Amino acid sequence: MYHLSLQGATSKSDIYIGAGIFSQTAKHVAEKFKPTRIHVVTDSNVAPLYLKQLCAEFPLNITSSVIPAGEEYKNLDTVAGLYADFSEAELTRSDLVIALGGGVVGDITGFAAATYLRGIHVCQIPTTLLAQVDSSVGGKTAVDLPQGKNLVGAFYQPELVMIDTDILTTLPEPIFNDGMAEVIKYGFISNPEIIDLISASDFKQNMERIVYECVQIKRDVVQADERDTGLRMILNFGHTIGHGAEKVGHFTELSHGQAVAIGMVQAARLAVKLGETDLVEQITSICQAHGLPTKLPYPMEDIYTAMLHDKKRAADSINFILVHPMGKANIHPIPLEQLHQLVTAE
Ligand code: GLY
């Protein structure tokens, strides 16, 4: 088992990573909190698999909310339902909310916990690879608005994150592969050893170490720039073009990981045009080896238009993350006019 801690501006996050540590949740909760009540939020996919098991870990009576599974429910109506459940459960600021699920459950529960009573303790138990290596760590919480994804949110650190890598063994292949896009990202932006680890044919035997290496990078980056004003942007490698492609596909045709894989290949192509290290072949082959697409599914012109509405863009430029050399990410502001030429030129 690995332990990492992340010191945020207002609280410390203890992150445990290991095979089978789900069954140690109650022990770590007792070490860290003194709750009278615990409320679990999960979704309709995860509840039948793990909710009963989690509740049985605790000597207390646990209450729960089961939200419908899917990004389309990551909205303020669902948050209002959670507030009503928290109130019915009579949660106070010394109580604990546990988010049990993938990225959607983690984001929405984190947001509800950040805002209910101006903030109650939250623990994340991520059940997808993507949530384990990315969204459960670092305190970004959010919900979607009809105008766009993640437009309402808060930075709010989960004080405890329990990452059980045994959970990954039962994930359907496409969901597992989706998370591998983020794993590959960490390899290129910071630690090429991750690419060596996942290139082994039996890499799934080594997920505890692989997840640890990824989370360690995320911890270091978030600790240096919790509020995403500088270094944290490097975590967006592959995400600028990726988000644009997701948007063109109405957020239904491509999964997030698929879009990030396509985005990383395109970002690598852009780096070559700017005279930087050529990693196109390396990124393409490792993504393909993990069942991820690498070809642009839509015209670049459409993706470029979608990118212009990215909430992270500045007035006249977009901060592009480029890898140069392998294992080192740079934030590269590119004026919109130049970007259009670069991405559309063959
Ligand atoms: N998922 C990117 C970040 O947490 O900043």
Side-chain angles (χ1 to χ4, degrees), residues 160-183:
L160 180 63
V161 185
M162 296 294 297
I163 301 178
D164 184 345
T165 49
D166 270 356
I167 288 179
L168 302 174
T169 58
T170 56
L171 280 184
E173 195 74 7
I175 308 280
F176 183 87
N177 293 346
D178 214 37
M180 285 306 292
E182 299 286 352
V183 172

Side-chain angles (χ1 to χ4, degrees), residues 10-11 55 77 81 104 141 166 189 216 261 272 276 300 332 346:
T10 53
S11 58
C55 294
D77 288 341
V104 171
T141 74
D166 270 356
I189 64 167
Q216 191 177 26
V272 175
E276 302 198 347
M300 193 34 130
H332 205 109
E346 268 319 299

Side-chain angles (χ1 to χ4, degrees), residues 7-309:
Q7 186 59 57
T10 53
S11 58
K12 177 173 160 239
S13 193
D14 278 300
I15 305 158
Y16 294 92
I17 302 158
I21 65 164
F22 189 87
S23 61
Q24 294 172 28
T25 305
K27 176 176 116 62
H28 289 292
V29 164
E31 277 167 12
K32 224 175 140 118
F33 310 101
K34 297 277 165 284
T36 309
R37 296 177 184 83
I38 296 176
H39 189 85
V40 180
V41 179
T42 188
D43 73 17
S44 49
N45 285 341
V46 177
L49 301 173
Y50 300 113
L51 181 57
K52 219 165 138 189
Q53 194 185 336
L54 180 63
C55 294
E57 296 286 326
F58 291 94
L60 305 174
N61 212 354
I62 311 283
T63 50
S64 60
S65 306
V66 180
I67 62 176
E71 179 85 29
E72 63 271 37
Y73 298 101
K74 199 176 107 175
N75 58 35
L76 291 169
D77 288 341
T78 309
V79 173
L82 291 180
Y83 292 151
D85 292 350
F86 293 175
S87 169
E88 193 174 329
E90 298 181 21
L91 297 186
T92 68
R93 277 166 125 181
S94 55
D95 292 327
L96 176 69
V97 171
I98 298 180
L100 171 68
V104 171
V105 168
D107 281 6
I108 197 165
T109 308
F111 179 69
T115 46
Y116 189 71
L117 303 179
R118 298 196 180 89
I120 53 178
H121 303 295
V122 66
C123 159
Q124 293 273 353
I125 306 182
T127 59
T128 62
L129 179 56
L130 198 141
Q132 293 195 348
V133 296
D134 184 22
S135 55
S136 68
V137 174
K140 275 191 184 173
T141 74
V143 291
D144 304 335
L145 293 182
Q147 291 81 358
K149 279 181 72 166
N150 294 332
L151 288 185
V152 175
F155 290 99
Y156 191 70
Q157 293 299 338
E159 287 166 74
L160 180 63
V161 185
M162 296 294 297
I163 301 178
D164 184 345
T165 49
D166 270 356
I167 288 179
L168 302 174
T169 58
T170 56
L171 280 184
E173 195 74 7
I175 308 280
F176 183 87
N177 293 346
D178 214 37
M180 285 306 292
E182 299 286 352
V183 172
I184 292 168
K185 174 194 83 177
Y186 287 113
F188 281 91
I189 64 167
S190 181
N191 181 0
E193 201 190 342
I194 293 173
I195 305 300
D196 297 337
L197 290 170
I198 64 171
S199 298
S201 57
D202 61 348
F203 77 97
K204 286 192 181 173
Q205 311 300 320
N206 209 5
M207 286 314 290
E208 198 176 306
R209 163 87 194 282
I210 291 166
V211 171
Y212 165 72
E213 295 295 342
C214 296
V215 173
Q216 191 177 26
I217 297 167
K218 178 133 195 198
R219 188 279 308 265
D220 291 347
V221 168
V222 172
Q223 201 153 257
D225 176 27
E226 190 179 10
R227 296 187 71 89
D228 205 9
T229 56
L231 182 70
R232 189 164 178 168
M233 289 183 218
I234 69 168
L235 300 176
N236 284 330
F237 175 54
H239 286 58
T240 309
I241 291 179
H243 276 151
E246 266 185 292
K247 195 161 181 190
V248 174
H250 308 286
F251 295 101
T252 50
E253 292 172 13
L254 288 175
S255 68
H256 180 69
Q258 289 173 331
V260 168
I262 292 164
M264 287 191 291
V265 174
Q266 290 302 318
R269 282 168 50 91
L270 193 71
V272 175
K273 290 178 192 166
L274 290 165
E276 302 198 347
T277 316
D278 187 347
L279 296 167
V280 177
E281 213 26 66
Q282 234 178 314
I283 296 180
T284 304
S285 63
I286 195 75
C287 286
Q288 287 176 350
H290 291 282
L292 291 160
T294 52
K295 288 205 167 63
L296 269 185
Y298 313 112
M300 193 34 130
E301 198 62 53
D302 295 354
I303 296 175
Y304 175 78
T305 306
M307 271 159 47
L308 294 183
H309 298 286

